[in-house]
């Protein structure tokens, strides 16, 4: 069955992979990203492949903009069935600087921005779509967490992603009797621009990734976007109708060894 899906942060990386996989499976996709050019490019790619996509420019940390994103979805497609909360400040976001926040001296501006993009946005997006999903008696919400919930990354990132798991449980319970499931996916290391951009060059990045996965990940390789997208497709399908409030690790066994 063709559904309408909003995927935040789908201008590039994992979110783009999610949007393309949903479109490949016949769903109509809202490509939502604060980077308007990237959102348009992903939507065009989907259309070129024969799919249906609407690009929307949105900062998910702005509740008014999130409301606008959902209104644009309803205006174009008449409904919303699937919400994927994937957008987050992560690797190369200078405003977040995830490798450098000191809990004793780091600025509260950084703290608030990280919490607002990675955590508050999920509250805004869930609240904005919930009335539509509840009225239909069917809905799927998938929140992007991280393997970083299982260890301390030494910065705000783990904190925000742990909170994503807590919010997943809260919204799963709030929507459980409405036919709406809410789950999280916790990917292991996945090679995207935001990982590659942390290094001076691609060669150094690939060498680090190879060394890291060889020593930490039992499967000996990073996740591909396809590894993650296949799990997303399961969670948003009718096959997963009795699965809710779960945080599903997709990490090649990495966190089983921590
Ligand atoms: N890559 C990994 O190894 C990995 C591992 C675990 C979890 N994750 C999580 O997966 C998600 C995607 O990761 P990625 O590697 O593709 O990241 P990425 O940085 O490559 O992509 C993130 C996308 O989100 C968009 N975005 C950022 N802030 C936004 C905002 N305020 N409003 C709207 N859009 C915004 C960016 O423009 C970008 O297109 C993130 O939630 C990240 O924490 C990634």
């Amino acid at each position: 069955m063709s559904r309408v899906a909003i995927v935040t942060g789908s201008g590039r990386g994992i979110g783009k992979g999610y949007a393309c996989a949903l479109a490949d499976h016949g769903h109509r996709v809202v490509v939502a990203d604060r980077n308007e050019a990237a959102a348009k490019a992903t939507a065009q790619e989907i259309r070129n492949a024969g799919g249906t996509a609407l690009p929307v420019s949105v900062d998910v940390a702005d509740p008014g903009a999130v409301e606008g994103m959902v209104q644009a979805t309803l205006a174009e497609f008449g409904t919303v069935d699937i919400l994927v909360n994937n957008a987050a400040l992560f690797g190369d976001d200078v405003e977040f600087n995830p490798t450098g926040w000191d809990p004793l001296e780091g600025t509260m501006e950084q703290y608030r921005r990280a919490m607002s993009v990675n955590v508050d946005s999920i509250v805004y997006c869930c609240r904005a779509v919930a009335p539509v999903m509840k009225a239909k008696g069917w809905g799927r919400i998938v929140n992007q967490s991280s393997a970083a919930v299982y260890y301390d990354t030494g910065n705000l990132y783990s904190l925000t992603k742990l909170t994503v798991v807590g919010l997943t449980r809260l919204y799963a319970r709030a929507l459980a009797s409405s036919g709406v499931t809410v789950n999280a996916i916790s990917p292991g290391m996945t090679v995207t621009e935001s990982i590659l951009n942390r290094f001076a060059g691609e060669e150094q990045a690939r060498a680090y990734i190879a060394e890291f996965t060889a020593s930490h990940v039992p499967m000996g390789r990073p996740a591909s976007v396809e590894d993650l997208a296949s799990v997303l497709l399961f969670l948003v399908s009718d096959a997963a109708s009795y699965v809710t409030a779960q945080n599903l690790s997709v990490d090649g066994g990495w966190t089983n060894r921590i």
Side-chain angles (χ1 to χ4, degrees):
M1 181 182 224
S2 173
R3 306 277 189 189
V4 174
I6 297 173
V7 185
T8 69
S10 46
R12 74 175 194 183
I14 297 170
K16 177 179 177 180
Y18 284 164
C20 293
L22 287 163
D24 283 350
H25 280 73
H27 302 304
R28 291 157 285 163
V29 182
V30 175
V31 179
D33 203 291
R34 70 174 171 182
N35 182 334
E36 190 175 4
K40 283 184 174 163
T42 299
Q44 194 54 50
E45 218 174 284
I46 288 171
R47 288 181 188 139
N48 291 347
T52 304
L54 173 72
V56 170
S57 166
V58 62
D59 178 350
V60 290
D62 174 349
V66 167
E67 198 51 52
M69 169 185 79
V70 174
Q71 288 310 318
T73 304
L74 297 177
E76 181 80 7
F77 299 125
T79 194
V80 56
D81 306 295
I82 297 166
L83 165 67
V84 185
N85 287 311
N86 164 81
L89 296 178
F90 179 43
D92 57 341
D93 281 290
V94 286
E95 64 182 319
F96 183 35
N97 190 14
T99 56
W101 195 78
D102 178 344
L104 297 178
E105 294 177 2
T107 73
M108 290 311 290
E109 285 71 25
Q110 274 188 309
Y111 175 88
R112 290 197 188 95
R113 183 66 182 159
M115 292 301 280
S116 106
V117 177
N118 290 18
V119 177
D120 299 354
S121 65
I122 294 184
V123 175
Y124 304 144
C125 291
C126 288
R127 287 184 178 191
V129 301
V132 182
M133 293 181 178
K134 281 177 77 168
K136 300 177 76 155
W138 197 97
R140 295 284 185 268
I141 298 175
V142 179
N143 300 323
Q144 187 81 321
S145 184
S146 170
V149 299
Y150 295 107
Y151 69 107
D152 174 21
T153 53
N155 53 50
L156 290 165
Y157 188 67
S158 314
L159 170 70
T160 64
K161 292 299 182 178
L162 261 173
T163 311
V164 169
V165 175
L167 282 176
T168 300
R169 293 183 180 139
L170 273 180
Y171 279 101
R173 183 167 51 79
L175 295 168
S177 60
S178 313
V180 181
T181 67
V182 186
N183 292 289
I185 293 176
S186 278
M189 180 187 276
T190 313
V191 183
T192 61
E193 290 94 324
S194 73
I195 298 271
L196 296 174
N197 291 347
R198 289 181 196 179
F199 296 85
E202 181 153 352
E203 204 176 311
Q204 286 132 296
R206 299 272 174 204
Y208 170 81
I209 291 160
E211 194 278 325
F212 179 89
T213 50
S215 55
H216 290 90
V217 181
M219 285 192 181
R221 66 170 177 85
S224 66
V225 171
E226 292 71 25
D227 290 324
L228 305 175
S230 56
V231 174
L232 175 78
L233 290 170
F234 164 67
L235 288 175
V236 303
S237 73
D238 285 323
S241 56
Y242 202 55
V243 181
T244 198
Q246 300 307 302
N247 174 32
L248 193 42
S249 290
V250 188
D251 64 5
W254 172 21
T255 52
N256 188 44
R257 288 185 48 173
I258 288 174

PDB file of all heavy atoms in Angstrom, residues 139-162:
ATOM      1  N   GLY A 139      -0.500   4.611  11.925  1.00  0.00           N
ATOM      2  CA  GLY A 139       0.646   5.509  11.776  1.00  0.00           C
ATOM      3  C   GLY A 139       1.926   4.812  12.201  1.00  0.00           C
ATOM      4  O   GLY A 139       1.905   3.821  12.937  1.00  0.00           O
ATOM      5  N   ARG A 140       3.026   5.325  11.675  1.00  0.00           N
ATOM      6  CA  ARG A 140       4.346   4.787  12.030  1.00  0.00           C
ATOM      7  C   ARG A 140       5.291   5.967  12.276  1.00  0.00           C
ATOM      8  O   ARG A 140       5.429   6.847  11.402  1.00  0.00           O
ATOM      9  CB  ARG A 140       4.927   3.952  10.880  1.00  0.00           C
ATOM     10  CG  ARG A 140       4.144   2.693  10.548  1.00  0.00           C
ATOM     11  CD  ARG A 140       4.403   1.616  11.594  1.00  0.00           C
ATOM     12  NE  ARG A 140       3.765   0.364  11.233  1.00  0.00           N
ATOM     13  CZ  ARG A 140       2.531   0.000  11.615  1.00  0.00           C
ATOM     14  NH1 ARG A 140       1.804   0.816  12.361  1.00  0.00           N
ATOM     15  NH2 ARG A 140       2.043  -1.178  11.273  1.00  0.00           N
ATOM     16  N   ILE A 141       5.907   5.972  13.453  1.00  0.00           N
ATOM     17  CA  ILE A 141       6.925   6.978  13.743  1.00  0.00           C
ATOM     18  C   ILE A 141       8.217   6.229  14.063  1.00  0.00           C
ATOM     19  O   ILE A 141       8.210   5.297  14.876  1.00  0.00           O
ATOM     20  CB  ILE A 141       6.504   7.877  14.923  1.00  0.00           C
ATOM     21  CG1 ILE A 141       5.223   8.645  14.562  1.00  0.00           C
ATOM     22  CG2 ILE A 141       7.633   8.846  15.298  1.00  0.00           C
ATOM     23  CD1 ILE A 141       4.631   9.478  15.694  1.00  0.00           C
ATOM     24  N   VAL A 142       9.292   6.610  13.386  1.00  0.00           N
ATOM     25  CA  VAL A 142      10.593   5.993  13.647  1.00  0.00           C
ATOM     26  C   VAL A 142      11.590   7.109  13.953  1.00  0.00           C
ATOM     27  O   VAL A 142      11.754   8.050  13.165  1.00  0.00           O
ATOM     28  CB  VAL A 142      11.077   5.142  12.446  1.00  0.00           C
ATOM     29  CG1 VAL A 142      12.445   4.537  12.759  1.00  0.00           C
ATOM     30  CG2 VAL A 142      10.073   4.033  12.122  1.00  0.00           C
ATOM     31  N   ASN A 143      12.211   7.007  15.112  1.00  0.00           N
ATOM     32  CA  ASN A 143      13.179   8.013  15.551  1.00  0.00           C
ATOM     33  C   ASN A 143      14.596   7.475  15.393  1.00  0.00           C
ATOM     34  O   ASN A 143      14.866   6.316  15.732  1.00  0.00           O
ATOM     35  CB  ASN A 143      12.937   8.353  17.032  1.00  0.00           C
ATOM     36  CG  ASN A 143      11.548   8.916  17.257  1.00  0.00           C
ATOM     37  OD1 ASN A 143      11.034   9.652  16.421  1.00  0.00           O
ATOM     38  ND2 ASN A 143      10.948   8.567  18.382  1.00  0.00           N
ATOM     39  N   GLN A 144      15.484   8.328  14.913  1.00  0.00           N
ATOM     40  CA  GLN A 144      16.866   7.893  14.711  1.00  0.00           C
ATOM     41  C   GLN A 144      17.656   8.133  15.996  1.00  0.00           C
ATOM     42  O   GLN A 144      17.872   9.276  16.395  1.00  0.00           O
ATOM     43  CB  GLN A 144      17.461   8.701  13.545  1.00  0.00           C
ATOM     44  CG  GLN A 144      18.819   8.244  13.109  1.00  0.00           C
ATOM     45  CD  GLN A 144      18.755   7.035  12.175  1.00  0.00           C
ATOM     46  OE1 GLN A 144      17.956   6.128  12.356  1.00  0.00           O
ATOM     47  NE2 GLN A 144      19.616   7.025  11.193  1.00  0.00           N
ATOM     48  N   SER A 145      18.051   7.040  16.639  1.00  0.00           N
ATOM     49  CA  SER A 145      18.924   7.160  17.802  1.00  0.00           C
ATOM     50  C   SER A 145      20.342   6.814  17.345  1.00  0.00           C
ATOM     51  O   SER A 145      20.732   7.192  16.236  1.00  0.00           O
ATOM     52  CB  SER A 145      18.415   6.271  18.942  1.00  0.00           C
ATOM     53  OG  SER A 145      19.211   6.461  20.073  1.00  0.00           O
ATOM     54  N   SER A 146      21.099   6.082  18.160  1.00  0.00           N
ATOM     55  CA  SER A 146      22.482   5.794  17.778  1.00  0.00           C
ATOM     56  C   SER A 146      23.079   4.742  18.699  1.00  0.00           C
ATOM     57  O   SER A 146      22.662   4.607  19.868  1.00  0.00           O
ATOM     58  CB  SER A 146      23.330   7.072  17.892  1.00  0.00           C
ATOM     59  OG  SER A 146      24.700   6.762  17.743  1.00  0.00           O
ATOM     60  N   ALA A 147      24.085   4.031  18.198  1.00  0.00           N
ATOM     61  CA  ALA A 147      24.870   3.139  19.051  1.00  0.00           C
ATOM     62  C   ALA A 147      25.488   3.921  20.204  1.00  0.00           C
ATOM     63  O   ALA A 147      25.866   3.342  21.230  1.00  0.00           O
ATOM     64  CB  ALA A 147      25.959   2.466  18.223  1.00  0.00           C
ATOM     65  N   ALA A 148      25.578   5.232  20.054  1.00  0.00           N
ATOM     66  CA  ALA A 148      26.171   6.081  21.098  1.00  0.00           C
ATOM     67  C   ALA A 148      25.353   6.107  22.381  1.00  0.00           C
ATOM     68  O   ALA A 148      25.797   6.663  23.378  1.00  0.00           O
ATOM     69  CB  ALA A 148      26.343   7.510  20.568  1.00  0.00           C
ATOM     70  N   VAL A 149      24.182   5.488  22.390  1.00  0.00           N
ATOM     71  CA  VAL A 149      23.431   5.422  23.658  1.00  0.00           C
ATOM     72  C   VAL A 149      24.092   4.436  24.616  1.00  0.00           C
ATOM     73  O   VAL A 149      23.815   4.462  25.812  1.00  0.00           O
ATOM     74  CB  VAL A 149      21.942   5.020  23.474  1.00  0.00           C
ATOM     75  CG1 VAL A 149      21.212   6.030  22.623  1.00  0.00           C
ATOM     76  CG2 VAL A 149      21.786   3.629  22.909  1.00  0.00           C
ATOM     77  N   TYR A 150      24.955   3.552  24.087  1.00  0.00           N
ATOM     78  CA  TYR A 150      25.517   2.505  24.935  1.00  0.00           C
ATOM     79  C   TYR A 150      26.880   2.864  25.521  1.00  0.00           C
ATOM     80  O   TYR A 150      27.495   2.055  26.200  1.00  0.00           O
ATOM     81  CB  TYR A 150      25.612   1.195  24.148  1.00  0.00           C
ATOM     82  CG  TYR A 150      24.230   0.692  23.793  1.00  0.00           C
ATOM     83  CD1 TYR A 150      23.745   0.768  22.489  1.00  0.00           C
ATOM     84  CD2 TYR A 150      23.380   0.185  24.781  1.00  0.00           C
ATOM     85  CE1 TYR A 150      22.463   0.333  22.173  1.00  0.00           C
ATOM     86  CE2 TYR A 150      22.097  -0.240  24.469  1.00  0.00           C
ATOM     87  CZ  TYR A 150      21.643  -0.163  23.172  1.00  0.00           C
ATOM     88  OH  TYR A 150      20.366  -0.578  22.867  1.00  0.00           O
ATOM     89  N   TYR A 151      27.375   4.038  25.203  1.00  0.00           N
ATOM     90  CA  TYR A 151      28.650   4.468  25.805  1.00  0.00           C
ATOM     91  C   TYR A 151      28.680   5.983  25.833  1.00  0.00           C
ATOM     92  O   TYR A 151      27.815   6.645  25.254  1.00  0.00           O
ATOM     93  CB  TYR A 151      29.840   3.886  25.039  1.00  0.00           C
ATOM     94  CG  TYR A 151      30.038   4.438  23.645  1.00  0.00           C
ATOM     95  CD1 TYR A 151      31.079   5.314  23.361  1.00  0.00           C
ATOM     96  CD2 TYR A 151      29.186   4.067  22.592  1.00  0.00           C
ATOM     97  CE1 TYR A 151      31.264   5.822  22.078  1.00  0.00           C
ATOM     98  CE2 TYR A 151      29.357   4.566  21.316  1.00  0.00           C
ATOM     99  CZ  TYR A 151      30.403   5.447  21.075  1.00  0.00           C
ATOM    100  OH  TYR A 151      30.582   5.955  19.818  1.00  0.00           O
ATOM    101  N   ASP A 152      29.659   6.536  26.545  1.00  0.00           N
ATOM    102  CA  ASP A 152      29.758   7.983  26.678  1.00  0.00           C
ATOM    103  C   ASP A 152      30.699   8.514  25.603  1.00  0.00           C
ATOM    104  O   ASP A 152      31.898   8.233  25.632  1.00  0.00           O
ATOM    105  CB  ASP A 152      30.295   8.311  28.080  1.00  0.00           C
ATOM    106  CG  ASP A 152      30.570   9.786  28.245  1.00  0.00           C
ATOM    107  OD1 ASP A 152      30.008  10.589  27.477  1.00  0.00           O
ATOM    108  OD2 ASP A 152      31.352  10.136  29.145  1.00  0.00           O
ATOM    109  N   THR A 153      30.142   9.247  24.657  1.00  0.00           N
ATOM    110  CA  THR A 153      30.994   9.780  23.593  1.00  0.00           C
ATOM    111  C   THR A 153      31.800  10.988  24.092  1.00  0.00           C
ATOM    112  O   THR A 153      32.589  11.550  23.345  1.00  0.00           O
ATOM    113  CB  THR A 153      30.141  10.227  22.372  1.00  0.00           C
ATOM    114  OG1 THR A 153      29.111  11.114  22.823  1.00  0.00           O
ATOM    115  CG2 THR A 153      29.516   9.050  21.670  1.00  0.00           C
ATOM    116  N   GLY A 154      31.582  11.389  25.336  1.00  0.00           N
ATOM    117  CA  GLY A 154      32.362  12.486  25.896  1.00  0.00           C
ATOM    118  C   GLY A 154      31.859  13.842  25.453  1.00  0.00           C
ATOM    119  O   GLY A 154      32.587  14.831  25.527  1.00  0.00           O
ATOM    120  N   ASN A 155      30.648  13.881  24.986  1.00  0.00           N
ATOM    121  CA  ASN A 155      30.066  15.153  24.539  1.00  0.00           C
ATOM    122  C   ASN A 155      28.546  15.029  24.623  1.00  0.00           C
ATOM    123  O   ASN A 155      28.024  14.108  25.245  1.00  0.00           O
ATOM    124  CB  ASN A 155      30.531  15.481  23.114  1.00  0.00           C
ATOM    125  CG  ASN A 155      30.258  14.319  22.181  1.00  0.00           C
ATOM    126  OD1 ASN A 155      29.153  13.798  22.136  1.00  0.00           O
ATOM    127  ND2 ASN A 155      31.269  13.892  21.454  1.00  0.00           N
ATOM    128  N   LEU A 156      27.845  15.953  23.987  1.00  0.00           N
ATOM    129  CA  LEU A 156      26.388  15.980  24.113  1.00  0.00           C
ATOM    130  C   LEU A 156      25.674  14.923  23.278  1.00  0.00           C
ATOM    131  O   LEU A 156      24.491  14.682  23.476  1.00  0.00           O
ATOM    132  CB  LEU A 156      25.871  17.364  23.683  1.00  0.00           C
ATOM    133  CG  LEU A 156      26.208  18.490  24.647  1.00  0.00           C
ATOM    134  CD1 LEU A 156      25.989  19.837  23.978  1.00  0.00           C
ATOM    135  CD2 LEU A 156      25.337  18.365  25.888  1.00  0.00           C
ATOM    136  N   TYR A 157      26.403  14.318  22.350  1.00  0.00           N
ATOM    137  CA  TYR A 157      25.735  13.453  21.386  1.00  0.00           C
ATOM    138  C   TYR A 157      25.015  12.283  22.057  1.00  0.00           C
ATOM    139  O   TYR A 157      23.837  12.024  21.803  1.00  0.00           O
ATOM    140  CB  TYR A 157      26.749  12.957  20.352  1.00  0.00           C
ATOM    141  CG  TYR A 157      26.115  12.204  19.210  1.00  0.00           C
ATOM    142  CD1 TYR A 157      25.279  12.849  18.297  1.00  0.00           C
ATOM    143  CD2 TYR A 157      26.349  10.846  19.045  1.00  0.00           C
ATOM    144  CE1 TYR A 157      24.688  12.151  17.250  1.00  0.00           C
ATOM    145  CE2 TYR A 157      25.769  10.151  17.996  1.00  0.00           C
ATOM    146  CZ  TYR A 157      24.944  10.808  17.113  1.00  0.00           C
ATOM    147  OH  TYR A 157      24.362  10.114  16.075  1.00  0.00           O
ATOM    148  N   SER A 158      25.741  11.565  22.961  1.00  0.00           N
ATOM    149  CA  SER A 158      25.113  10.412  23.635  1.00  0.00           C
ATOM    150  C   SER A 158      23.893  10.841  24.424  1.00  0.00           C
ATOM    151  O   SER A 158      22.882  10.144  24.452  1.00  0.00           O
ATOM    152  CB  SER A 158      26.055   9.750  24.635  1.00  0.00           C
ATOM    153  OG  SER A 158      27.299   9.565  24.136  1.00  0.00           O
ATOM    154  N   LEU A 159      24.018  11.979  25.091  1.00  0.00           N
ATOM    155  CA  LEU A 159      22.892  12.475  25.887  1.00  0.00           C
ATOM    156  C   LEU A 159      21.662  12.686  25.011  1.00  0.00           C
ATOM    157  O   LEU A 159      20.561  12.246  25.349  1.00  0.00           O
ATOM    158  CB  LEU A 159      23.287  13.802  26.553  1.00  0.00           C
ATOM    159  CG  LEU A 159      22.158  14.570  27.230  1.00  0.00           C
ATOM    160  CD1 LEU A 159      21.693  13.843  28.473  1.00  0.00           C
ATOM    161  CD2 LEU A 159      22.600  15.984  27.580  1.00  0.00           C
ATOM    162  N   THR A 160      21.863  13.339  23.872  1.00  0.00           N
ATOM    163  CA  THR A 160      20.702  13.612  23.013  1.00  0.00           C
ATOM    164  C   THR A 160      20.107  12.309  22.488  1.00  0.00           C
ATOM    165  O   THR A 160      18.893  12.149  22.434  1.00  0.00           O
ATOM    166  CB  THR A 160      21.049  14.535  21.825  1.00  0.00           C
ATOM    167  OG1 THR A 160      21.981  13.898  20.952  1.00  0.00           O
ATOM    168  CG2 THR A 160      21.608  15.869  22.287  1.00  0.00           C
ATOM    169  N   LYS A 161      20.946  11.343  22.138  1.00  0.00           N
ATOM    170  CA  LYS A 161      20.425  10.111  21.538  1.00  0.00           C
ATOM    171  C   LYS A 161      19.790   9.185  22.579  1.00  0.00           C
ATOM    172  O   LYS A 161      18.879   8.421  22.267  1.00  0.00           O
ATOM    173  CB  LYS A 161      21.531   9.402  20.751  1.00  0.00           C
ATOM    174  CG  LYS A 161      21.959  10.182  19.505  1.00  0.00           C
ATOM    175  CD  LYS A 161      20.797  10.370  18.534  1.00  0.00           C
ATOM    176  CE  LYS A 161      21.191  11.090  17.264  1.00  0.00           C
ATOM    177  NZ  LYS A 161      20.077  11.226  16.312  1.00  0.00           N
ATOM    178  N   LEU A 162      20.275   9.254  23.827  1.00  0.00           N
ATOM    179  CA  LEU A 162      19.594   8.535  24.914  1.00  0.00           C
ATOM    180  C   LEU A 162      18.205   9.115  25.123  1.00  0.00           C
ATOM    181  O   LEU A 162      17.232   8.383  25.350  1.00  0.00           O
ATOM    182  CB  LEU A 162      20.384   8.693  26.218  1.00  0.00           C
ATOM    183  CG  LEU A 162      21.296   7.556  26.633  1.00  0.00           C
ATOM    184  CD1 LEU A 162      22.122   7.970  27.840  1.00  0.00           C
ATOM    185  CD2 LEU A 162      20.501   6.293  26.938  1.00  0.00           C
TER     186      LEU A 162
END
